[in-house]
Amino acid sequence: MSSDDTPSDPDPAPDSQDSPVVGQAESGQKILQFLQRRLNLPPTLLHRWIRTGQVRLNGGRCKPFARVQTGDVVRLPPFALKMAAQSGAVPARTTDAVPEPPARPPALGASAPLPPVVGAEGPVWALFKPAGLPTHPGTGHSDSLATRLAGHYPQAAFKPTPAHRLDKDTSGILLVAATFAALRELQEAIRQRTLVKEYVVWVRGRWPWPEARLLRHQVRKGLERGFEKMRAVLSPAGGERAREALCLARPLRVREHESLLLIRLFTGRTHQIRVQLASLGHPVLGDVKYGPPGQRVGAGPMYLHALRVILPGGRVFACLPDWGGEHAVDVLPEVMPATAEHCPELLDDKAFPLAMNEDNYNLLH
């Protein structure tokens, strides 16, 4: 008898330590994702366990990309929990309940508090991420919103997870999913552009266009002094992979040497707003990476703030930035419509070009 014809094992006792039951918050994941989140072990190892039948779904063999549903029983190898404990995953007991957003403001003096909750729509939470806090851990830093969420909900079978990201020095609305189904729905809405994201940003220079303008660029990743940096290109060279970046920009205040803009994103490229504005000669105030040479790290905040998110169903989450002095924003601007009436460029393909000429393009690069 081949391994694929191995008869199913009897169903294990429900919710035993080595046979966890899939909770509501975890439903919809591929079993490989389920195991990664539960056990925090290498995907190659988990894949081998599934392929060799050491992991069973409802008593039977399964494929690594089979999706688990609420109430499914996943049998683990007898040594899996010990290996998971050594990796720092899975507390002795977990709860299948869908996590609730924190009801109180973060405690003063807390070493790793969660950001304030702006609002919630079922398992979708909107948090006010402060500038300086990364969305995810990375090289050189372990503290992040994702790790704080995991630490705040250690008993949750599915840890509340950021549904998108904001740059470390960008403040504002960041959506968190408390269930896997909510995470998939949010990410699909972002892909389909049915989720609206608006930002406010102070830029250098006098913004010359009084009306809303659609900005269209081609952007690609490159290296500068050994560090990754996004670049806008006039046209991709033969082997370069560039992706289109689109956003709508409308001025809110215009001064001689700086301007406040409202930005509506249509694509979500890395550092998109910062790269597009810098390429037009109007870098974000306080942007050390894409601003003019000579800016000192830590000299001041980066004036880019995720102002508002509108879910596909119409629920709005918004929060003003905590900027002070002459850069304070005290009134929530109206939502910027993206219709043919307000933005004909969206339909007639006459978006503002990357740069007026090569000199303008090379100004900050």
Side-chain angles (χ1 to χ4, degrees), residues 65-353:
F65 305 113
R67 294 194 181 273
V68 297
Q69 304 298 328
T70 304
D72 284 351
V73 179
V74 179
R75 194 197 72 180
L76 306 175
F79 44 82
L81 291 178
K82 182 177 180 180
M83 294 178 67
Q86 292 172 347
S87 74
V90 186
R93 299 180 61 186
T94 60
T95 175
D96 294 331
V98 175
E100 294 289 336
R104 298 178 180 178
L108 293 176
S111 58
L114 283 182
V117 177
V118 176
E121 179 85 357
V124 175
W125 310 343
L127 303 187
F128 186 159
K129 188 193 85 67
L133 178 66
T135 304
H136 300 284
T139 304
H141 63 271
S142 58
D143 185 26
S144 69
L145 176 60
T147 52
R148 292 188 186 189
L149 285 164
H152 194 81
Y153 295 94
Q155 301 288 318
F158 181 87
K159 306 293 190 295
T161 302
H164 56 109
R165 69 180 297 274
L166 293 177
D167 295 340
K168 175 183 175 182
D169 293 320
T170 300
S171 60
I173 297 288
L174 194 148
L175 297 181
V176 169
T179 68
F180 180 75
L183 181 63
R184 288 184 69 188
E185 289 176 6
L186 288 173
Q187 292 178 340
E188 182 62 22
I190 292 171
R191 280 191 291 270
Q192 297 296 327
R193 302 182 186 177
T194 57
L195 186 142
V196 176
K197 293 192 286 185
E198 290 189 336
Y199 294 71
V200 284
V201 54
W202 280 100
V203 299
R204 289 179 176 270
R206 184 179 184 86
W207 188 256
W209 301 283
E211 73 284 354
R213 301 287 298 193
L214 182 69
L215 308 182
R216 176 180 282 124
H217 298 74
Q218 296 290 323
V219 297
R220 65 174 177 85
K221 290 182 180 179
L223 289 177
E224 183 174 297
R225 303 190 192 95
F227 294 96
E228 185 179 275
K229 188 174 183 179
M230 299 297 295
R231 287 189 176 277
V233 293
L234 289 171
S235 59
E240 293 179 343
R241 296 185 61 184
R243 304 182 71 184
E244 187 176 54
L246 293 169
C247 71
L248 192 61
R250 176 167 64 85
L252 299 176
R253 295 183 218 165
V254 177
R255 300 171 181 165
E256 188 60 33
H257 301 293
E258 59 187 21
S259 303
L260 176 66
L261 308 179
L262 178 65
I263 303 287
R264 177 168 176 173
L265 275 185
F266 297 116
T267 55
R269 312 305 179 205
T270 301
H271 303 165
Q272 175 178 329
I273 295 174
R274 299 160 63 188
V275 174
Q276 288 192 270
L277 294 175
S279 296
L280 295 175
H282 296 280
V284 176
L285 285 183
D287 190 346
V288 176
K289 192 178 187 77
Y290 296 100
Q295 286 196 128
R296 292 182 294 110
V297 176
M302 184 174 73
Y303 288 95
L304 176 60
H305 176 82
L307 176 76
R308 180 164 38 217
V309 172
I310 306 176
L311 300 181
R315 178 66 187 273
V316 179
F317 300 114
C319 64
L320 293 170
D322 55 6
W323 304 329
E326 62 180 354
H327 296 120
V329 179
D330 300 320
V331 178
L332 189 69
E334 294 183 359
V335 175
M336 182 161 43
T339 64
E341 176 185 358
H342 295 90
C343 186
E345 297 94 335
L346 280 174
L347 298 182
D348 65 15
D349 202 33
K350 295 179 180 177
F352 188 79

